[in-house]
Amino acid sequence: NAGVMQNPRHLVRRRGQEARLRCSPMKGHSHVYWYRQLPEEGLKFMVYLQKENIIDESGMPKERFSAEFPKEGPSILRIQQVVRGDSAAYFCASSPEGNYGYTFGSGTRLTVV
Amino acid sequence: DQQVKQNSPSLSVQEGRISILNCDYTNSMFDYFLWYKKYPAEGPTFLISISSIKDKNEDGRFTVFLNKSAKHLSLHIVPSQPGDSAVYFCAAILNNAGNMLTFGGGTRLMVKP
């Protein structure tokens, strides 16, 4: 039973490009969460999704950021027109329904140059 | 406004001694608390948790204490081992707010052989 799979592990984008981060939850987990860790800081909640539904996006910037968790396939965090301040580690986690038992992926480290 | 704070960015302890990591929170509506351990270039891994109806939870070398009146929790590791060297994050869940975690900024623990 594979854990939470995130890809790519490292992503380099030039300012103005788009970044797409993928997350495949653990088998049987229907809840996906995205967190961002800026350098020298803790993890900050971005968005909470279930299949085809955004449950809570209160932590996600209103502009340029979007997330989806389609019926088939991985969850995608999309950042349009990236800026240097978007450079961070982005972690995805999944949990079974109604359970606090998060499992985190290894993260995607985004570097904007 | 940081609702969960870890005021010590780092802690150094001798192998075999006790490590005490502290965490303070401001929101009295938090009802579940967790500790995560994070190695470089990996995602956080769950360590131990405690519900707000308890004041202590123990799992092997790890014990979490919760003082609700002081809005303070601590993680005790005894005896500390070099493999415990990592960044430790405390996190809290708000009552009836889904499964969103609010993280502290982390404490880097170094256990010296």
Side-chain angles (χ1 to χ4, degrees):
Chain A
N1 183 16
V4 177
M5 304 301 292
Q6 287 190 250
N7 68 82
R9 288 296 305 272
H10 300 275
L11 183 61
V12 180
R13 283 287 177 266
R14 296 187 183 280
R15 279 179 295 171
Q17 290 185 319
E18 178 180 287
R20 286 181 151 244
L21 290 65
R22 292 175 187 76
C23 170
S24 296
M26 282 186 72
K27 189 175 180 182
H29 285 194
S30 56
H31 297 225
V32 165
Y33 316 82
W34 286 92
Y35 286 79
R36 175 166 69 173
Q37 185 182 23
L38 295 168
E40 306 303 321
E41 292 187 18
L43 286 81
K44 296 282 194 296
F45 168 78
M46 297 183 75
V47 62
Y48 165 30
L49 310 109
Q50 294 177 26
K51 285 281 185 184
E52 300 183 282
N53 275 315
I54 296 175
I55 307 302
D56 183 345
E57 57 182 346
S58 59
M60 202 147 71
K62 296 284 185 283
E63 317 233 329
R64 303 186 298 108
F65 286 72
S66 62
E68 62 175 7
F69 188 17
K71 189 176 179 182
E72 302 289 338
S75 175
I76 306 283
L77 178 67
R78 185 176 172 216
I79 312 172
Q80 295 178 290
Q81 299 173 337
V82 295
V83 301
R84 288 230 171 96
D86 297 332
S87 296
Y90 291 81
F91 292 97
C92 168
S94 70
S95 72
E97 184 167 356
N99 189 306
Y100 294 155
Y102 273 41
T103 301
F104 279 90
S106 297
T108 294
R109 185 163 300 279
L110 172 66
T111 303
V112 179
V113 297
Chain B
D1 174 33
Q2 226 179 334
Q3 297 190 65
V4 179
K5 286 185 184 178
Q6 293 175 255
N7 290 317
S8 298
S10 64
L11 174 68
S12 184
V13 167
Q14 203 67 36
E15 181 179 6
R17 308 293 286 266
I18 185 170
S19 296
I20 300 177
L21 296 104
N22 293 305
C23 179
D24 297 291
Y25 61 95
T26 57
N27 192 334
S28 57
M29 297 300 290
F30 285 135
D31 68 342
Y32 199 80
F33 303 90
L34 308 93
W35 283 93
Y36 284 83
K37 176 179 176 178
K38 186 181 180 304
Y39 293 115
E42 293 184 16
T45 53
F46 170 74
L47 208 52
I48 193 169
S49 63
I50 189 166
S51 164
S52 61
I53 62 172
K54 294 188 172 183
D55 55 17
K56 178 182 174 182
N57 188 25
E58 193 171 350
D59 183 2
R61 296 186 297 114
F62 302 91
T63 303
V64 56
F65 295 93
L66 175 62
N67 183 333
K68 281 182 66 177
S69 60
K71 295 193 180 70
H72 176 85
L73 63 155
S74 60
L75 174 68
H76 292 210
I77 307 172
V78 55
S80 302
Q81 299 172 354
D84 296 330
S85 298
V87 177
Y88 289 78
F89 291 98
C90 70
I93 292 180
L94 204 58
N95 187 19
N96 294 327
N99 293 350
M100 183 186 92
L101 292 174
T102 301
F103 280 88
T107 297
R108 183 179 302 278
L109 173 66
M110 291 161 285
V111 180
K112 295 181 284 190

